[in-house]
Amino acid sequence: MTLATASHGFLSPTGVEIAFLLVGLVTFGAAVVTVTTRQLVHAALWLVVALGGLAVEYLLLTAEFIAWVQVLIYVGAVVVLILFGLMLTRAPIGRSPDADSGNRWAALTVAVASAAALVWVVVDAFRTTWIDLDGPAAGSTAVTGASLFQNWVLPFEALSVLLLAALVGAIVLSRKAKAERAADATGTDAARTGAPAPNGPDKGGVR
C-alpha cells in the first residue's frame, strides 16, 4: 500500500470502486444465504460464491497472489472438502429442519458484534492509507510468496494438517455409521428368521 493524495472524493467514484462495491454486495448476499439456508449442499455452494467474490475483491485491490490463493485453497480445497465430508457422512440433500439449533438470535448478535469489531479495527488501521490502483501490484506473487513461505510457513502447514484431520474425521464418522447400520440390519434379519445373531451363543457349544 502507498500513501497517495486522492484526486477524487466519495461522490465521484471510479469504475474500480463501483465494481468493488457491487461485488461486495453480491458477496455479502451469498454469505447471508450460506448461514440462513436449511439445505447443507446449497450452503456449501453459496459458500463458493462468497469465497469467489472475495477473490474478485482481492484482484480489484491488486492483490493477485492472495486472490489466487483464495481460489485454490478455499474454493478448490476447503469447499471440496466440505462437500466430500457431506457425501461421506450421508448428510441429507434436501431441506434439513434440524439444521436450525434455535440459537439464531445469539448467533446473529455474535456475528454483528464481530463484524463491527473487524470494521472498526480495519478502518482505524488504514484510515489514511490509500491503494494506488494505477501503480504496481501491491500483492505480487514474488513478494507475497516470499513472505508467506519464509515468515508464515508454520501457520500454512498447520492449516494443511487441519484440513487433513477434517478429512480423516469425515471418513471415521462415515465408517462408524455404516458399521452401526450393518449391525442393526443383521439383528433385524436374525429376529425375523429366529436365527441367533453372528456374535450370539452357538447352539452347538457348551451350555
Side-chain angles (χ1 to χ4, degrees), residues 33-43 92-100 104:
V33 176
T34 300
V35 298
T36 54
T37 183
R38 293 189 177 182
Q39 299 191 23
L40 297 179
V41 177
H42 288 182
I93 301 300
R95 294 178 62 86
S96 303
D98 56 347
D100 189 358
R104 180 168 297 184

Side-chain angles (χ1 to χ4, degrees), residues 174-190 197-198:
S174 64
R175 292 179 63 88
K176 181 179 179 181
K178 183 178 180 180
E180 291 177 352
R181 287 193 299 269
D184 293 340
T186 303
T188 303
D189 294 339

Side-chain angles (χ1 to χ4, degrees), residues 9-94:
F10 291 102
L11 297 180
S12 58
T14 63
V16 175
E17 292 172 342
I18 295 175
F20 185 89
L21 178 61
L22 294 178
V23 174
L25 292 176
V26 173
T27 304
F28 177 76
V32 171
V33 176
T34 300
V35 298
T36 54
T37 183
R38 293 189 177 182
Q39 299 191 23
L40 297 179
V41 177
H42 288 182
L45 296 178
W46 279 109
L47 182 60
V48 173
V49 178
L51 295 177
L54 286 178
V56 175
E57 299 283 58
Y58 288 136
L59 282 178
L60 293 176
L61 292 175
T62 70
E64 56 181 29
F65 181 80
I66 303 300
W68 293 119
V69 167
Q70 177 81 13
V71 173
L72 294 176
I73 294 181
Y74 287 95
V75 178
V78 174
V79 176
V80 171
L81 180 62
I82 292 175
L83 292 174
F84 190 64
L86 291 176
M87 290 186 291
L88 283 177
T89 55
R90 297 182 181 272
I93 301 300

Side-chain angles (χ1 to χ4, degrees), residues 121-183:
V121 169
V122 172
V123 171
D124 184 69
F126 302 99
R127 187 184 304 274
T128 59
T129 302
W130 293 81
I131 299 177
D132 187 8
L133 299 178
D134 297 328
S140 61
T141 305
V143 176
T144 309
S147 176
L148 176 63
F149 291 103
Q150 288 180 358
N151 303 324
W152 302 96
V153 63
L154 184 60
F156 186 80
E157 293 299 328
L159 178 60
S160 303
V161 174
L162 180 62
L163 294 176
L164 178 61
L167 178 60
V168 173
I171 296 175
V172 171
L173 289 176
S174 64
R175 292 179 63 88
K176 181 179 179 181
K178 183 178 180 180
E180 291 177 352
R181 287 193 299 269

